[in-house]
Amino acid sequence: MINDQAPTPLPASGTPVHDAAPSVTGSVKGSVTGSVTGPVTGSVTGSTVGRIAVSLLVLAFAGVTGLFAPLLVMASDSCTEEGARTICSASAQQIVGGVPVGAAFVAALLAVAGMGSRGTAGWGCLLAAPCLLVLSWVVSLGIVGS
């Protein structure tokens, strides 16, 4: 044995067990002095909720862009062999089909990075993501319309 004392036997199963610890009652006296340093939790909570809400909106926009913008390739259905529209070429169709999907993927990554990052880097990611998505729509619609 480690402490050279014999173990105390446990009471029989029928005997009641009493708690011998004294109760602690009283009041706390004194004053708290000092200053609080660090971020204020109220504004951090509001900023976190706002950042998450913006991130979810950006993720929804990225999902819509990735799913529906490539459907603009169907604008080439009316093309003939003599078609002079830009969408009638195979390379333009690949651009219209691929750019929105790539932009949606990158924007989703930026949204997740913005959601997880605090400070200006997070807000920068959240600002860049919708700009990238809008740019992909402008490029795709520009090719389809010309």
Side-chain angles (χ1 to χ4, degrees):
M1 287 188 157
I2 296 175
N3 61 5
D4 294 337
Q5 292 180 358
T8 55
L10 295 174
S13 63
T15 58
V17 177
H18 298 287
D19 188 9
S23 65
V24 178
T25 59
S27 63
V28 176
K29 295 182 181 178
S31 64
V32 177
T33 59
S35 64
V36 176
T37 59
V40 178
T41 57
S43 65
V44 170
T45 304
S47 175
T48 302
V49 170
R51 192 173 59 246
I52 290 173
V54 170
S55 297
L56 291 176
L57 287 173
V58 170
L59 285 172
F61 187 25
V64 167
T65 299
L67 289 175
F68 295 115
L71 296 177
L72 293 173
V73 174
M74 291 190 308
S76 66
D77 287 346
S78 63
C79 291
T80 61
E81 290 183 22
E82 297 88 26
R85 294 181 6 194
T86 307
I87 192 65
C88 293
S89 71
S91 61
Q93 291 174 7
Q94 289 178 347
I95 290 171
V96 169
V99 167
V101 172
F105 180 74
V106 172
L109 289 177
L110 286 171
V112 170
M115 189 184 320
S117 178
R118 295 179 187 230
T120 58
W123 286 109
C125 289
L126 290 177
L127 182 64
C131 293
L132 180 66
L133 293 171
V134 167
L135 182 66
S136 73
W137 276 100
V138 167
V139 167
S140 294
L141 290 173
I143 291 173
V144 168
S146 63

